[in-house]
Amino acid sequence: LIDGKVKALTTRNGPDEGAALSPDGKTIAYLGFDDKVQTYQLNHLYTMNLDGSNKKEIKLDLDRNISALEWDASGTGLYCMYNDKGDTKIGYVTLAGKTSLVASNLGGTSIGRPYGGGSYSKSDGDKIVYTYTTPYHPAEIAIVSKGSEAKKIGKLNDDLLPYRKLGKVEEIWYKSTVDQLDIQGWIVTPPNFDPAKKYPLLVENHGGPTSHYGPRFSPEIQLFAAAGYVVFYPNPRGSTSYGEKFGNLLYHDYPNNDYQDVMDGVDVILKKGYCTEDSLFVTGGSAGGIMTAWIVGKNNRFRAAAVVKPVMNWFSKTLTADNYYQYANYRYPGQPWENMEIYMKYSPVSLVGNIQTPTMVMVGTADLRTPLSEAKQLYHALKIRKIETALVEIPGASHSIASRPSQLITKVDHILAWFEEMMHFPKKI
């Protein structure tokens, strides 16, 4: 208000955000939802008058989470971003809720791994510029209008990429043996790949777990491929960009069947014949670190693992991390002291007595999301059990462990060095 006072325009048990003012200054579009207390929940699109009256939900014909609202020039619809089957897109939504595609392949702004994201900006005349990527180049600037073809206008990496041979990125779909769910993933083969030869397979698990990988440029994945590995990165159940039901399958059940989704993908790739059972490697960070620790606690199929910034113990994690308040009921029922058995059931530390796989543990010393003490629980347990292990602490690194190029190089080099050393280490049966 002009007098400096604040007036709340919305009230609900749940978040409201992303407000966008219409061109005539009379209507506010915004996003929100009534909190159902679950692990993953889609937002909804609403409009209201400038004073907060006449709230209406625009029911979309799209089972996806939308963001980044921008009114079109006429005030008859809105542009937005959403993720669909691993791909970040720009969409257009009419005030009747009908959605249409404007552009695909946003992203390429992640420094390391192929996460979703990207951004766009709209002119007064509804011209849109956005960050455009493919698996073979990071973000470039592209321009598009609704109903037209996108045009890339940047040549930021033309002085480098034409002189590098990248690994080929192939999309795959397969069925989960748990319940026949369709699971999406990507296989990246090394440069100069020969399907008649045999290659080690490296599984890279994404974080989140309410997140996803996709067909985007990833220096980390490409460096693994350039080192001679076939790389597999899947989007198991709980991943975003497949709708609310799929994303919420981890509610009070994480990790569990998402583990099998990953292992089913490994078996699908082994049937292709160019990777062998005795040369499997696995890594991942954050929730991917949890999955990696869970995998080697559940089976002894991998020659080596690199567990990066993991949660090992849901008791200590939920009571020491910076987001300690987000877990009770949303991830597991009740607080840790109210449901000790459940919290420990889903803690990877409960499986540490099964681990035979040589396992490197890595974490940033300034990580507040998965604190150093979580990584040390795994490292110390493996030391006590005399399992081959190493602890890598990256000085000053936060939970975004590779937010600087030097940290990314450190992370990748340590993982590759560990895997190379364990390649020649006798595998325990």
Side-chain angles (χ1 to χ4, degrees), residues 36-351:
K36 295 186 286 188
V37 186
Q38 58 190 48
T39 297
Y40 180 66
Q41 189 170 338
L42 294 183
N43 59 26
H44 299 271
L45 176 61
Y46 300 86
T47 59
M48 62 182 172
N49 294 338
L50 195 61
D51 62 359
S53 63
N54 196 29
K55 293 181 177 65
K56 297 177 182 178
E57 180 182 354
I58 299 176
K59 294 188 179 295
L60 304 183
D61 57 356
L62 180 72
D63 182 27
R64 299 291 185 266
N65 212 57
I66 66 172
S67 63
L69 297 178
E70 290 276 359
W71 286 88
D72 68 0
S74 65
T76 58
L78 296 120
Y79 294 94
C80 65
M81 285 172 50
Y82 64 96
N83 296 303
D84 179 47
K85 297 176 182 176
D87 183 18
T88 303
K89 301 181 177 183
I90 300 173
Y92 179 77
V93 182
T94 70
L95 296 182
K98 181 176 174 56
T99 58
S100 57
L101 177 67
V102 177
S104 300
N105 300 309
L106 274 75
T109 53
S110 171
I111 190 175
R113 292 174 285 167
Y115 281 118
S119 61
Y120 76 96
S121 181
K122 186 189 73 68
S123 72
D124 291 341
D126 288 348
K127 293 280 188 181
I128 292 174
V129 292
Y130 66 99
T131 53
Y132 166 72
T133 190
T134 73
Y136 307 108
H137 67 79
E140 297 277 9
I141 298 298
I143 188 167
V144 69
S145 297
K146 183 160 60 79
S148 68
E149 292 290 323
K151 179 182 179 182
K152 184 166 79 78
I153 59 175
K155 296 183 179 181
L156 186 62
N157 293 286
D158 282 7
D159 60 339
L160 174 64
L161 289 177
Y163 307 100
R164 296 288 186 272
K165 186 157 188 167
L166 301 178
K168 179 183 177 182
V169 180
E170 172 194 355
E171 177 188 34
I172 64 166
W173 286 87
Y174 57 93
K175 297 287 187 181
S176 171
T177 58
V178 175
D179 49 16
Q180 295 301 297
L181 269 182
D182 290 321
I183 306 296
Q184 186 182 28
W186 288 265
I187 302 170
V188 185
T189 49
N192 303 310
F193 172 71
D194 181 351
K197 294 181 179 179
K198 302 296 183 184
Y199 296 85
L201 175 63
L202 190 159
V203 180
E204 222 292 342
N205 297 294
H206 74 64
T210 50
S211 183
H212 68 273
Y213 280 159
R216 305 177 185 89
F217 183 78
S218 167
E220 200 163 324
I221 299 296
Q222 287 292 340
L223 286 167
F224 290 148
Y229 293 87
V230 169
V231 183
F232 169 53
Y233 60 92
N235 280 344
R237 69 191 61 211
S239 299
T240 53
S241 79
Y242 304 93
E244 183 168 295
K245 181 179 179 180
F246 189 91
N248 196 45
L249 286 173
L250 300 184
Y251 178 59
H252 291 180
D253 195 30
Y254 165 72
N256 189 15
N257 292 326
D258 48 329
Y259 156 79
Q260 194 58 53
D261 295 345
V262 175
M263 296 310 300
D264 288 338
V266 171
D267 291 335
V268 166
I269 295 172
L270 288 175
K271 289 177 182 177
K272 294 179 178 292
Y274 47 73
C275 295
T276 59
E277 179 75 35
D278 65 349
S279 293
L280 305 181
F281 299 82
V282 61
T283 189
S286 196
I290 298 171
M291 177 54 68
T292 303
W294 197 261
I295 283 172
V296 295
K298 284 284 189 178
N299 70 66
N300 191 32
R301 295 177 62 180
F302 290 83
R303 185 167 286 278
V307 175
V308 182
K309 50 184 180 181
V311 173
M312 290 303 297
N313 184 329
W314 287 111
F315 285 82
S316 53
K317 151 67 174 175
T318 58
L319 296 176
T320 60
D322 60 346
N323 64 339
Y324 66 94
Y325 50 85
Q326 290 185 337
Y327 291 90
N329 301 314
Y330 291 90
R331 185 66 58 80
Y332 305 112
Q335 296 288 356
W337 57 89
E338 298 169 335
N339 228 324
M340 297 174 68
E341 183 179 350
I342 292 295
Y343 272 75
M344 185 51 62
K345 174 184 175 182
Y346 292 109
S347 293
V349 74
S350 68
L351 302 176

Side-chain angles (χ1 to χ4, degrees), residues 365-392:
T365 60
D367 193 332
L368 302 180
R369 184 58 47 87
T370 55
L372 187 59
S373 57
E374 292 296 313
K376 284 193 172 182
Q377 287 180 60
L378 176 57
Y379 172 67
H380 289 160
L382 296 180
K383 290 291 285 185
I384 290 169
R385 295 194 52 242
K386 301 189 186 308
I387 303 299
E388 287 293 320
T389 187
L391 176 64
V392 178

Side-chain angles (χ1 to χ4, degrees), residues 354-365:
N354 302 334
I355 296 176
Q356 298 296 321
T357 306
T359 300
M360 181 179 73
V361 189
M362 182 184 296
V363 67
T365 60

Side-chain angles (χ1 to χ4, degrees), residues 414-429:
H414 275 90
I415 292 172
L416 289 175
W418 178 255
F419 286 172
E420 178 63 26
E421 183 177 353
M422 294 302 117
M423 187 91 72
H424 308 291
F425 191 81
K427 186 174 185 293
K428 294 183 180 181
I429 304 300

